[in-house]
Amino acid sequence: MRMLINVPETVVADALRGMAAAHPELTVDVEHRVVLRRDAPVAGRVALVSGGGSGHEPLHGGFVGPGMLAAACPGEVFTSPVPDQMVRAAAAVDSGAGVLFVVKNYTGDVLNFEMAAELAEDEGIQIAKVLVNDDVAVTDSLYTAGRRGTGATLFVEKIAGAAAEEGAPLERVEAIARRVNERSRSFGVALSACTTPAKGGPTFDLPPGELELGIGIHGEPGRERRPMMTSGEIADFAVDAVLEDLRPSGPVLALVNGMGATPLLELYGFHAEVQRVLTERGVPVARALVGNYVTSLDMAGCSVTLCEADEEILRLWDAPVQTPALRWGR
């Protein structure tokens, strides 16, 4: 195993210590595993809290800051954070305007955020929740009942975070988050399996010369395995799978997301193919984002996420954001 780590047991704590050193605009509680906006709580503003297993960086800690999340709760690698983390985060960022939990649809995350919501409400914190379930590849998986939450998490956190930054009330922020999720679909492809620090080997067997279509962000197998395809062929397959389910009637936000080990040279080339397919299908791209945002450790591969945009979604997408991983307009 070749990894830039000390020992598997301290991987998450070491990463949080490094995040704290690199980003003084954040408050990073290494002991309790909570990442906060340094200016939290922000008076009169709804606070967005999210989290999940580590290994998907920059999701979620890299999206903490003005215009996006107020707090993130990192769990162990590919393991949900615990309710105590979420309650601690909610209490730290609540200004009295309420807290929105953004939850990816994985069984552990769903159960722990549900429990955390009950505990936080017992402490007098108003909680709303939105479940992200954008993956069209499979209906159920090893980790979920229903569709998995993947790339659309970024869209939900950015757009709902912008609404919160503007001072929208909790009910409105929740409604916008739900609308973004309902209008978003994703499909992922793996060219290699990922390696977790604890296991020290691939999470699944993918023979040379083959790829996995429809994978999740924990290295779950997808809907089918095929011999290696060209970038254009993969784009045809992935975009068509998304459009078959989404059927947008207008322009879209497009995210070409790397899974962790695919260089930008390849991702930009793949985005050109995604743009080609969308143009051929008569779907205009209003905004595009390319890079590693919702990853799976060292997996080679990518995912495509499309969100059917409207005027409000585009305005909130363009609104200023200042986080370690996403910055514009400030």
Side-chain angles (χ1 to χ4, degrees):
M1 179 176 68
R2 297 180 182 178
M3 289 185 172
L4 196 62
I5 65 173
N6 292 315
V7 293
E9 293 77 13
T10 66
V11 165
V12 176
D14 291 345
L16 290 174
R17 289 191 297 106
M19 175 173 272
H23 297 286
E25 72 275 17
L26 301 178
T27 298
V28 182
D29 185 339
V30 178
E31 180 183 358
H32 297 106
R33 305 287 175 90
V34 177
V35 180
L36 306 165
R37 286 178 58 160
R38 184 166 288 280
D39 61 353
V42 180
R45 296 292 185 266
V46 171
L48 269 67
V49 174
S50 193
S54 296
H56 306 305
E57 290 72 23
L59 189 81
H60 292 275
F63 297 145
V64 174
M68 215 159 174
L69 296 178
C73 306
E76 292 296 328
V77 173
F78 291 178
T79 302
S80 171
V82 298
D84 284 352
Q85 289 173 261
M86 303 161 189
V87 175
R88 184 180 295 272
V93 300
D94 180 39
S95 69
V99 173
L100 177 67
F101 282 164
V102 179
V103 188
K104 300 188 303 302
N105 189 30
Y106 293 94
T107 302
D109 290 1
V110 172
L111 293 175
N112 285 343
F113 269 102
E114 287 282 355
M115 185 179 299
E118 295 176 5
L119 294 171
E121 286 169 345
D122 288 344
E123 294 186 8
I125 302 172
Q126 186 181 5
I127 299 289
K129 302 182 294 295
V130 61
L131 188 69
V132 182
N133 56 352
D134 55 303
D135 182 19
V136 302
V138 294
T139 301
D140 298 297
S141 75
L142 298 174
Y143 293 82
T144 64
R147 290 179 166 177
R148 300 173 292 207
T150 57
T153 312
L154 183 154
F155 287 159
V156 171
E157 292 177 355
K158 169 62 185 79
I159 294 165
E165 197 74 26
E166 289 182 349
L170 182 59
E171 296 78 8
R172 182 65 183 150
V173 176
E174 178 188 5
I176 290 169
R178 290 186 185 279
R179 188 163 95 246
V180 171
N181 177 65
E182 290 164 0
R183 288 168 168 252
S184 299
R185 302 290 189 275
S186 297
F187 191 91
V189 179
L191 309 182
S192 72
C194 61
T195 300
T196 62
K199 184 175 181 180
T203 54
F204 63 93
D205 177 42
L206 187 57
E210 296 187 0
L211 54 75
E212 189 87 19
L213 296 166
I215 49 86
I217 58 173
H218 300 99
E220 310 99 304
R223 62 163 64 167
E224 65 177 286
R225 186 169 293 182
R226 289 191 180 185
M228 188 60 198
M229 302 158 65
T230 66
S231 177
E233 291 168 339
I234 295 170
D236 282 322
F237 192 100
V239 174
D240 281 344
V242 170
L243 294 179
E244 181 180 353
D245 196 286
L246 182 61
R247 301 184 184 277
S249 58
V252 297
L253 303 176
L255 169 65
V256 166
N257 172 66
M259 302 306 292
T262 300
L264 277 171
L265 179 71
E266 296 177 32
L267 292 177
Y268 276 118
F270 181 68
H271 176 67
E273 297 297 339
V274 168
Q275 181 77 52
R276 171 189 59 79
V277 179
L278 290 170
T279 300
E280 291 173 355
R281 306 298 187 267
V283 180
V285 176
R287 305 287 188 276
L289 185 65
V290 179
N292 288 287
Y293 294 101
V294 183
T295 63
S296 184
L297 292 170
D298 61 342
M299 179 185 287
C302 61
S303 62
V304 177
T305 303
L306 302 179
C307 174
E308 184 177 5
D310 57 27
E311 185 175 326
E312 182 178 40
I313 285 174
L314 288 177
R315 179 180 63 79
L316 293 171
W317 177 257
D318 290 338
V321 60
Q322 187 171 357
T323 70
L326 217 60
R327 291 173 180 259
W328 59 68
R330 292 179 70 93

